[in-house]
Amino acid sequence: MFKKILLLFIVFISNAGFGQIVINELDSDTPSTDVLEFIELKSATPNFPLDGYVVVFFNATSTAPYSGTLSYYAIDLDGLVTDGNGNVLLGNLQVSPAPSYIIPQATIQNGPDAVAIYLGDATDFPLNTPASSANVIDAFAYSNSATTQPTALMAIFGETVCYNEAVNGTANAPLQSIQRKTDGTYEVKTPTPRANNDGSGIVFNGITTTYSPAAPLTEGQSITITFTTDTNVTSDLNFSFTLNNGSFTTADFTGNTTVTIPSGTNSVSRVIQLLNDAVNDGDENLQISIGAVPPQYIVLRNNISVRVVDANFLTSPWGTPLNPTYGLVASTVPAGYYSSMEGLSGAALKQAIQNIIANPAVVHAHNYGDIWEILKTADQNPLNNNQVWLMYVERAQTKIDYQSGNSIVGFWNREHIYCQSRGGFTDGTSSFADGINVWLPTGPDDILAGHADAHHIRAEDGQENSSRNERNYGVDYNGPTSTAGSWHGDVARAIFYMCVRYNGLDVVNGNPPQNPDGFIGDLATLLTWNHSDPADDFEMNRNNYIYTWQVNRNPFIDYPNLADYIWGSHAGEPWYSTLSANEVADLKFQMYPNPANNHLTISGIRGEAAVEIYSYTGQKVINQNFSDAIDLQLNLSSGLYFVKVSSGAKSTTQKLIIR
């Protein structure tokens, strides 16, 4: 936190020395389907880097009379630089000349609304963030009607004028924009994107980079990169580009990286062949970066990142949480690890568990920075070792897409199941990763260690991580509506672990508020989820791996029914390990031939059953009910598949090879 404040202070001092950024032009009301929207910013000095700034759009029409103040879109300006006129254009793909940042069409609302430039990051302004005057650099209120104004937003930003894009008539509003004059006021006239509003300055010829096919690409594919200028060049334009980016080097591709756009034309393409190195070294990003260009040109949207998927990857014999397997991953619990719990009940049982999993002489505490490394293995997608499995959204994502910058869109992050704000361990450990061999002793009162306890931290989609926030499970948060809830039992067992591992944490019924710290809900829901989504091979594997780091285990994965003896239907009864067989016992059946060609026989089942066959990417390709036995006629491409057979409460998944 101190580093962030210091950075903002440095940026502020820099702004004081070099001049502020202002909103120079806005075109929100555009013809037809709103594909020509844009906002233009201007710096007092040319070629000004915009790192540390964010543009935020606020909606004032949520409640009458135009008193809403919540954000609906934010653009992080890191990496953008104003041009030789001090301008930078952010707009739809169809805006001409081309913008430096693409805004999805029909995003900017017509008003009455407001837009502001802040010191900060886009992550500071998730959807529906209330407007604030703190750290505002410039703000602007606008509408497309003379009778409507964003009054509440104007009061927050200290604005006394709301500019009307329809001031020259409703019919002209889609054809004109609101533009800043040299005196700081605004006028409405024909749009002048990426040019000075008064007609002065340099007319730059912008260079835009596009490529095909669309990402992601795979090793062995080719990529066509096209460079296009706004207007035809008057003499040959020569420049070069690079693709190198970290581990992606010139050894990973072949092709010509020097470019000439001939005089009288405005476009040229290069075909680059991506090489398959036959090595499982993970997915990578190439980066298309244009080098130096003549001064009359500017490079737009430079340093474009393109995903290159590794064609070589490893699979594991167990399933994902969405298509779970059971009994394929053996527990690595040491002999006698839980023996002290035998026959205990109530508070004595809970204390015995804590004595094991919070033993100061045994358990290791690591840093939050180490969690990235832990999750890349603990939450690895069983179908592709170059990916992690994202819990709530129930899908895989490339490991290298972890959030390292300001944007949460398209990245995965570290989700605290017992959220930091409720646990009282916010920022409790260092973000510096120092590895498995550097650790501190920890005990049951070391609540700050919960900040980096991997048993309750999972890989998660960045936006969904933000959406969950500090909400209680079941009574408030149930995940994305389109998902199957394959994570329900996982979060239940993580919560149960945390409430035994650390003094001061509890799980209660209902929807408790955040304050005071130490309470999370809903207990009744979590007890139900613990049974409806039993511990599977994915959980057992991560339990085993985290044990190698922290030298403690989640006992509610090893013995899921422990929760019932502490909080549930068996509370107060003596617990014995012999009562804790896995609730999902193996279902025995025969499956042949394997490898198979065009048919598969499943037999050995007594009574009603169901068979599901999944591709290695997780797509269900066959789903059929049967009784006792079945002979399936297959029409599948060659490759690896997973066959899941279920009967009653039992289920087993096996691998199938199709020749």
Side-chain angles (χ1 to χ4, degrees):
M1 179 61 71
F2 174 77
K3 290 181 179 178
K4 184 172 183 179
I5 294 172
L6 178 61
L7 175 61
L8 294 180
F9 177 76
I10 292 172
V11 172
F12 176 79
I13 295 299
S14 175
N15 293 340
F18 294 101
Q20 292 184 333
I21 309 299
V22 297
I23 298 162
N24 198 46
E25 186 172 357
L26 177 72
D27 196 355
S28 61
D29 190 353
T30 66
S32 184
T33 55
D34 280 339
V35 297
L36 298 175
E37 302 167 333
F38 70 85
I39 183 171
E40 181 184 79
L41 311 180
K42 191 175 187 66
S43 61
T45 57
N47 306 310
F48 186 82
L50 299 180
D51 296 340
Y53 294 93
V54 57
V55 171
V56 186
F57 293 85
F58 294 95
N59 183 6
T61 57
S62 56
T63 55
Y66 316 110
S67 57
T69 66
L70 302 181
S71 68
Y72 68 88
Y73 188 59
I75 303 173
D76 203 300
L77 301 180
D78 286 359
L80 296 178
V81 180
T82 61
D83 62 21
N85 293 319
N87 299 326
V88 65
L89 179 65
L90 301 80
N92 298 159
L93 188 62
Q94 292 89 337
V95 171
S96 180
S100 293
Y101 181 95
I102 300 300
I103 298 174
Q105 67 184 51
T107 293
I108 303 177
Q109 299 181 10
N110 293 347
D113 290 320
V115 59
I117 305 173
Y118 285 88
L119 281 173
D121 302 320
T123 51
D124 299 328
F125 298 91
L127 182 66
N128 293 327
T129 299
S132 168
S133 61
N135 296 318
V136 169
I137 298 299
D138 189 37
F140 173 75
Y142 67 95
S143 180
N144 62 353
S145 168
T147 60
T148 59
Q149 294 188 350
T151 53
L153 285 168
M154 293 172 67
I156 291 171
F157 295 129
E159 296 295 312
T160 58
V161 178
C162 173
Y163 291 94
N164 176 18
E165 194 170 354
V167 68
N168 297 323
T170 303
N172 286 324
L175 307 176
Q176 297 182 328
S177 67
I178 307 172
Q179 303 176 33
R180 184 183 177 90
K181 298 191 294 185
T182 54
D183 63 2
T185 62
Y186 289 82
E187 61 183 337
V188 178
K189 61 180 184 179
T190 302
T192 61
R194 227 180 69 206
N196 288 342
N197 298 335
D198 62 3
S200 65
I202 307 166
V203 178
F204 292 99
N205 199 348
I207 306 171
T208 302
T209 304
T210 57
Y211 66 89
S212 64
L217 305 177
T218 303
E219 289 180 340
Q221 277 189 279
S222 62
I223 177 174
T224 300
I225 304 174
T226 301
F227 304 96
T228 306
T229 55
D230 293 333
T231 60
N232 289 347
V233 301
T234 56
S235 61
D236 288 357
L237 171 60
N238 301 302
F239 59 88
S240 62
F241 66 95
T242 62
L243 302 178
N244 290 20
N245 184 34
S247 61
F248 190 92
T249 68
T250 53
D252 293 306
F253 70 92
T254 59
N256 184 5
T257 58
T258 60
V259 174
T260 297
I261 299 180
S263 178
T265 67
N266 76 327
S267 184
V268 69
S269 296
R270 290 287 181 265
V271 177
I272 300 296
Q273 180 65 48
L274 306 177
L275 303 178
N276 182 353
D277 57 10
V279 176
N280 177 218
D281 50 2
D283 298 349
E284 299 172 305
N285 287 325
L286 65 81
Q287 183 170 278
I288 308 171
S289 300
I290 296 177
V293 297
Q296 67 269 35
Y297 294 92
I298 58 171
V299 179
L300 307 172
R301 304 196 298 277
N302 202 13
N303 303 320
I304 296 175
S305 182
V306 182
R307 171 60 39 77
V308 180
V309 176
D310 192 348
N312 311 279
F313 57 87
L314 302 176
T315 62
S316 302
W318 56 88
T320 68
L322 189 59
N323 300 300
T325 58
Y326 305 91
L328 298 180
V329 179
S331 171
T332 59
V333 60
Y337 186 74
Y338 293 117
S339 60
S340 60
M341 296 158 40
E342 293 289 319
L344 299 181
S345 62
L349 175 61
K350 185 177 180 181
Q351 185 60 56
I353 299 172
Q354 186 184 70
N355 291 343
I356 297 169
I357 65 175
N359 186 347
V362 175
V363 180
H364 295 181
H366 290 279
N367 286 337
Y368 195 45
D370 291 312
I371 291 295
W372 291 119
E373 187 66 25
I374 295 173
L375 294 184
K376 287 176 183 178
T377 298
D379 288 1
Q380 183 171 288
N381 178 17
L383 303 179
N384 186 328
N385 73 306
N386 295 322
Q387 302 170 340
V388 289
W389 185 261
L390 307 185
M391 184 176 64
Y392 299 137
V393 295
E394 299 178 334
R395 64 172 175 82
Q397 184 153 350
T398 298
K399 289 180 179 179
I400 61 175
D401 285 336
Y402 66 94
Q403 185 184 330
S404 58
N406 298 321
S407 177
I408 62 175
V409 180
F411 297 96
W412 64 272
N413 209 332
R414 300 159 291 186
E415 159 70 343
H416 288 86
I417 294 176
Y418 203 120
C419 41
Q420 299 186 67
S421 56
R422 289 183 174 274
F425 41 73
T426 301
D427 297 330
T429 66
S430 169
S431 293
F432 177 76
D434 46 20
I436 192 171
N437 295 320
V438 179
W439 52 273
L440 292 172
T442 180
D445 294 320
D446 183 14
I447 191 65
L448 294 182
H451 176 246
D453 193 320
H455 281 302
H456 85 118
I457 303 177
R458 294 288 289 267
E460 187 48 77
D461 172 76
Q463 289 176 288
E464 189 60 31
N465 184 40
S466 176
S467 176
R468 188 263 161 147
N469 201 358
E470 61 188 30
R471 295 156 66 189
N472 292 297
Y473 293 105
V475 289
D476 188 4
Y477 181 77
N478 287 281
T481 56
S482 60
T483 53
S486 64
W487 48 271
H488 284 171
D490 303 52
V491 302
R493 290 178 282 276
I495 294 291
F496 298 153
Y497 162 86
M498 291 293 287
C499 292
V500 177
R501 163 67 176 87
Y502 297 97
N503 291 332
L505 300 186
D506 202 359
V507 54
V508 298
N509 285 314
N511 192 18
Q514 174 189 335
N515 294 316
D517 293 340
F519 295 93
I520 196 168
D522 168 53
L523 175 59
T525 297
L526 295 172
L527 287 169
T528 299
W529 285 358
N530 186 41
H531 288 276
S532 63
D533 175 35
D536 56 25
D537 288 319
F538 187 92
E539 267 190 282
M540 183 62 73
N541 178 69
R542 82 184 309 273
N543 199 15
N544 291 344
Y545 182 70
I546 293 169
Y547 178 72
T548 66
W549 279 75
Q550 298 184 182
V551 202
N552 75 344
R553 301 181 64 84
N554 184 340
F556 300 97
I557 295 174
D558 292 326
Y559 295 115
N561 77 338
L562 263 176
D564 293 330
Y565 284 79
I566 297 175
W567 295 282
S569 58
H570 295 287
E573 299 177 17
W575 179 86
Y576 296 94
S577 58
T578 54
L579 303 174
S580 300
N582 195 323
E583 295 181 16
V584 183
D586 284 345
L587 178 67
K588 305 299 182 183
F589 66 90
Q590 290 79 49
M591 182 180 76
Y592 57 89
N594 189 11
N597 290 317
N598 55 11
H599 80 279
L600 179 71
T601 297
I602 296 173
S603 63
I605 306 293
R606 291 187 178 182
E608 300 299 317
V611 57
E612 300 167 297
I613 300 181
Y614 297 87
S615 70
Y616 76 95
T617 60
Q619 179 183 6
K620 185 186 295 185
V621 295
I622 290 178
N623 182 14
Q624 194 164 334
N625 296 325
F626 68 98
S627 181
D628 299 332
I630 188 172
D631 187 25
L632 292 169
Q633 299 302 309
L634 305 177
N635 183 21
L636 301 175
S637 303
S638 61
L640 173 67
Y641 293 81
F642 296 91
V643 179
K644 179 181 179 181
V645 178
S646 304
S647 180
K650 297 182 178 181
S651 166
T652 296
T653 300
Q654 295 186 19
K655 288 192 295 184
L656 170 67
I657 303 295
I658 299 295
R659 289 173 171 165

